Amino acid sequence: MPLVNTTEMFKKAYEGGYAIGAFNVNNMEIVQGITEAAKEVNAPLILQVSSGARKYANHTYLMKLIEAAIAETDLPIAVHLDHGDSFELCKSCIDGGFTSVMIDGSHLPFEENIALTKKVVEYAHAHGVTVEGELGRLAGVEDDINVSVEDSSYTKPEEVEEFVSRTGVDSLAIAIGTSHGAFKFTGEASLRFDILEEVARRVPGFPIVLHGASSVIPEYVDMINQYGGNMPGAKGVPEEMLRKAASMAVCKINIDSDLRLAMTATVRKVFAENPSEFDPRKYLGPARSEIKKLVKNKLINVLGCAGKA
Ligand code: G3H
Ligand code: 13P
Ligand code: ZN
């Protein structure tokens, strides 16, 4: 099966009350762990690449890894640019074979966000590529920029219809209280489901995206802290909140931090228990297996997209 854009997968996800997992990829073990899990449960997938991932691993290497995953799995997979910050970056990814891009103009004034997003949509649609925009601003760390809680802002539902109709975007990321990274809440976790409901009322049937949606799985945080790490107070979005969002208008749920935690916890454990180990396959192999286990659980029990490929 060739790479797909997100049109069909979002349509089915909206109608079926589930969400597609959008997992960040940075190397071979991450691509393999995610795609092997999806194959076992027959789930559609979005593999997303940040500009940082592209700098780290190189566009061609990542595309070839994803092509290999397609050949091995025969699943509908979209390859998506995560947090594109310029027309030029989006164009480069579209020209290089991505089937979906995000243009993140959420830090710009409304009119400038519309103008930039529209420009990307025009180029992308002419090439069969789908586009995700963003309104509202998440807190947390993304591409080395730290957005403080004070600088973050919830999406204003009254801006959504105009943004969607004037830009022509295919999906929209909104800010309802999630944030990037491993430290999402200092007290009780809470999300503004009222904003999500109001957005869905204003643009019925339109796919919504949730960023910063890792659960920061406590077992991995504990393992990291037990085996020499230091991540006190790490906390994520409870799984039942993600299930609720997936049953509403949210069709794409972004997960990166949980993959990082699973990988780091596993590697730390291997080294702590086997200080003389120096074969990378002996720590990257178990890390890949842990990613597979984690993703399988997400696809079946959190996103609800198992069996939907
Ligand atoms: O939203 C941010 C993602 O976790 C990607 O992170 O820019 O460090 O690759 P990165
Ligand atoms: P997490 O940091 O919660 O995994 O969010 C990832 C994300 O939103 C990527 O765009
Ligand atoms: Zn994000």
Side-chain angles (χ1 to χ4, degrees):
M1 182 177 293
L3 282 171
V4 297
N5 68 24
T6 57
T7 306
E8 271 305 299
M9 54 172 87
F10 285 170
K11 189 168 179 290
K12 289 187 189 158
Y14 203 107
E15 285 164 3
Y18 61 89
I20 312 292
F23 299 96
N24 286 72
V25 296
N26 289 278
N27 68 9
M28 182 186 79
E29 284 76 10
I30 296 174
V31 171
Q32 289 177 331
I34 297 164
T35 55
E36 284 171 15
K39 184 179 180 178
E40 281 190 14
V41 302
N42 197 35
L45 266 184
I46 298 173
L47 297 177
Q48 55 186 14
V49 175
S50 68
S51 64
R54 218 159 155 259
K55 278 186 210 123
Y56 173 77
N58 170 302
H59 181 97
T60 310
Y61 277 85
L62 289 171
M63 281 308 283
K64 294 293 174 194
L65 286 171
I66 293 169
E67 277 169 27
I70 294 264
E72 290 290 322
T73 62
D74 202 29
L75 290 171
I77 297 180
V79 54
H80 173 79
L81 169 65
D82 190 28
H83 294 283
D85 62 354
S86 68
F87 173 79
E88 289 70 27
L89 174 58
C90 292
K91 181 179 182 299
S92 164
C93 289
I94 293 165
D95 295 346
F98 282 30
T99 55
S100 178
V101 293
M102 174 186 194
I103 177 68
D104 181 356
S106 59
H107 57 288
L108 297 171
F110 187 62
E111 284 297 329
E112 286 175 40
N113 189 359
I114 288 184
L116 176 60
T117 306
K118 191 168 184 294
K119 187 174 172 190
V120 171
V121 168
E122 279 163 8
Y123 189 79
H125 284 183
H127 293 79
V129 169
T130 40
V131 180
E132 173 184 329
E134 179 162 344
L135 271 180
R137 195 147 198 229
L138 269 69
V141 184
E142 114 202 1
D143 253 334
D144 295 334
I145 300 163
N146 197 346
V147 182
S148 67
V149 175
E150 299 76 56
D151 288 337
S152 67
S153 56
Y154 292 117
T155 302
K156 298 187 182 84
E158 62 276 17
E159 290 183 347
V160 169
E161 282 160 283
E162 186 182 348
F163 186 83
V164 167
S165 66
R166 285 179 60 195
T167 57
V169 275
D170 303 283
S171 62
L172 183 71
I174 63 169
I176 59 167
T178 61
S179 61
H180 291 111
F183 300 87
K184 300 187 190 298
F185 303 100
T186 42
E188 273 298 290
S190 78
L191 295 185
R192 291 286 305 272
F193 282 102
D194 59 315
I195 295 179
L196 175 57
E197 249 166 28
E198 181 58 15
V199 167
R201 198 186 65 74
R202 287 170 180 266
V203 283
F206 188 79
I208 298 302
V209 178
L210 209 55
H211 282 246
S214 279
S215 292
V216 188
I217 297 166
E219 288 80 356
Y220 294 135
V221 176
D222 291 347
M223 258 169 90
I224 288 172
N225 290 334
Q226 179 186 348
Y227 294 111
N230 185 24
M231 299 187 73
K235 192 169 184 176
V237 185
E239 290 186 350
E240 56 276 15
M241 289 190 186
L242 298 172
R243 277 192 285 270
K244 181 173 172 183
S247 75
M248 297 167 70
V250 170
C251 294
K252 172 174 179 272
I253 290 191
N254 285 11
I255 296 157
D256 187 4
S257 293
D258 280 340
L259 304 173
R260 297 177 178 195
L261 291 167
M263 196 157 203
T264 301
T266 307
V267 171
R268 279 195 179 279
K269 182 169 188 284
V270 171
F271 283 138
E273 291 176 349
N274 310 279
S276 60
E277 187 56 70
F278 73 105
D279 178 347
R281 294 169 298 187
K282 297 287 169 33
Y283 51 88
L284 294 177
R288 176 177 60 191
S289 302
E290 203 57 45
I291 285 182
K292 180 174 172 182
K293 192 174 112 189
L294 152 88
V295 171
K296 213 168 153 181
N297 177 59
K298 296 257 186 208
L299 298 172
I300 300 171
N301 298 316
V302 183
L303 304 160
C305 59
K308 309 289 187 185

